[in-house]
């Protein structure tokens, strides 16, 4: 079993829809949770990061962490065609100095006009 | 903005060749990382460095070595390229005070024939 599981998709939605992207994990030591966006043939771009449980909002994006369920989510409101990309979740734990990230394999999102 | 650059976007090499991939960051970050990204496997850590001349093995170091002679530059070396090293190689950096927030370069697509 992988430490971090993520549905590969593709997830297809119409423009303006609310998108929910999710990851589950098995290591309860994870404390930092990141979301990256990766456009085709480009490097990942850090979107958001949160520490421990709770919500964090940045514009149209909301990151949510539920440590009791070992489940994290990224919500995108009013989705745009430019949001079409692969979204990677990543996590780190104190016992690796927080610098060793464990990534999900990514969910491909397609937003149609 | 953090800028991480990689020396080549695309490379084609022959089996047995020695391959050098260069990465430079301009934000004075202490930590630098090399990953490879393969479909269905996600990002896997090859090596990382937390200081000049310091290096740590990641999850898949076999067949690779690294060099960090200057703080801003981190090189990945394939001593004798093999076809199973065909992949997308991504460099990242992070500051000491926020080690979990890694910033990625655009990637190098390496094809080994």
């Amino acid at each position: 079993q992988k430490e971090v599981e993520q549905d590969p998709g593709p997830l297809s939605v119409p423009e303006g829809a609310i998108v929910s992207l999710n990851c589950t994990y098995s290591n309860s030591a994870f404390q930092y949770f990141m979301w990256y966006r990766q456009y085709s043939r480009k490097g990942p771009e850090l979107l958001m990061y949160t520490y421990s449980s709770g919500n964090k909002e940045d514009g149209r994006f909301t990151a949510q962490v539920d440590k009791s369920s070992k489940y994290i989510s990224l919500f995108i409101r009013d989705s745009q065609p430019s949001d079409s990309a692969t979204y990677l979740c990543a996590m780190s734990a104190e016992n690796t100095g927080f610098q060793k990230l464990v990534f999900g394999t990514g969910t491909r999102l397609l937003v149609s006009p | 903005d953090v800028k991480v650059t990689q020396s080549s976007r695309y490379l084609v090499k022959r089996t047995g060749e020695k391959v050098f991939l260069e990465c430079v960051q301009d934000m004075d970050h202490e930590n630098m990382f090399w990953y490879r990204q393969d479909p269905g496997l996600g990002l896997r850590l090859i090596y990382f460095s937390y200081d000049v001349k310091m290096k740590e093995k990641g999850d898949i170091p076999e067949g690779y070595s690294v060099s960090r002679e200057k703080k801003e530059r981190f090189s990945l070396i394939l001593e004798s390229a093999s076809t199973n090293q065909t992949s997308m190689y991504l460099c990242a950096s992070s500051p000491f005070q926020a080690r979990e927030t890694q910033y990625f370069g655009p990637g190098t697509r390496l094809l080994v024939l």
Side-chain angles (χ1 to χ4, degrees):
Chain A
Q1 186 192 1
K2 292 179 181 175
E3 270 190 295
V4 179
E5 299 274 3
Q6 192 174 4
D7 189 320
L11 176 62
S12 296
V13 301
E15 183 176 355
I18 297 174
V19 174
S20 172
L21 302 164
N22 310 295
C23 287
T24 59
Y25 62 95
S26 56
N27 185 353
S28 57
F30 287 140
Q31 290 181 274
Y32 274 99
F33 303 90
M34 277 67 68
W35 285 97
Y36 285 84
R37 177 175 62 196
Q38 186 174 23
Y39 291 113
S40 182
R41 301 186 180 276
K42 304 276 188 178
E45 169 195 7
L46 181 62
L47 269 181
M48 298 185 72
Y49 68 94
T50 53
Y51 176 71
S52 196
S53 283
N55 291 2
K56 186 174 182 179
E57 191 173 318
D58 184 1
R60 295 185 296 112
F61 298 90
T62 299
Q64 200 170 75
V65 175
D66 182 349
K67 290 192 75 179
S68 62
S69 302
K70 297 191 180 72
Y71 189 88
I72 70 170
S73 300
L74 178 71
F75 297 97
I76 307 174
R77 289 183 298 282
D78 188 24
S79 56
Q80 303 294 309
S82 58
D83 294 327
S84 297
T86 297
Y87 290 80
L88 306 165
C89 63
M91 310 177 186
S92 68
E94 185 172 8
N95 61 2
T96 60
F98 293 120
Q99 56 202 12
K100 187 177 175 185
L101 300 186
V102 180
F103 284 84
T105 51
T107 298
R108 189 169 167 225
L109 172 66
L110 301 170
V111 182
S112 54
Chain B
D1 274 357
V2 175
K3 193 87 181 286
V4 180
T5 56
Q6 295 182 229
S7 51
S8 305
R9 292 302 308 275
Y10 301 95
L11 272 181
V12 181
K13 296 292 181 181
R14 297 249 175 233
T15 303
E17 278 193 77
K18 192 168 186 176
V19 182
F20 293 87
L21 303 181
E22 297 275 313
C23 175
V24 177
Q25 51 94 4
D26 66 358
M27 285 303 293
D28 201 36
H29 285 173
E30 288 75 16
N31 304 308
M32 296 188 75
F33 307 82
W34 276 107
Y35 294 87
R36 63 178 284 177
Q37 185 176 31
D38 301 288
L41 297 176
L43 276 85
R44 293 179 291 167
L45 181 64
I46 304 171
Y47 268 97
F48 70 97
S49 168
Y50 52 88
D51 201 353
V52 175
K53 297 192 186 295
M54 306 302 288
K55 62 185 179 185
E56 294 263 352
K57 292 181 180 179
D59 298 318
I60 50 164
E62 297 79 20
Y64 303 94
S65 62
V66 290
S67 172
R68 193 164 179 204
E69 296 296 320
K70 293 185 177 180
K71 190 176 185 180
E72 68 272 16
R73 189 179 298 268
F74 192 33
S75 302
L76 180 69
I77 303 147
L78 286 65
E79 296 290 343
S80 177
S82 63
T83 54
N84 62 13
Q85 292 179 309
T86 290
S87 187
M88 169 77 138
Y89 289 88
L90 290 158
C91 175
S93 72
S94 70
F96 176 78
Q97 67 272 27
R99 287 162 286 177
E100 69 288 346
T101 53
Q102 295 183 17
Y103 298 89
F104 283 83
T108 296
R109 284 196 171 272
L110 173 65
L111 173 63
V112 182
L113 300 173

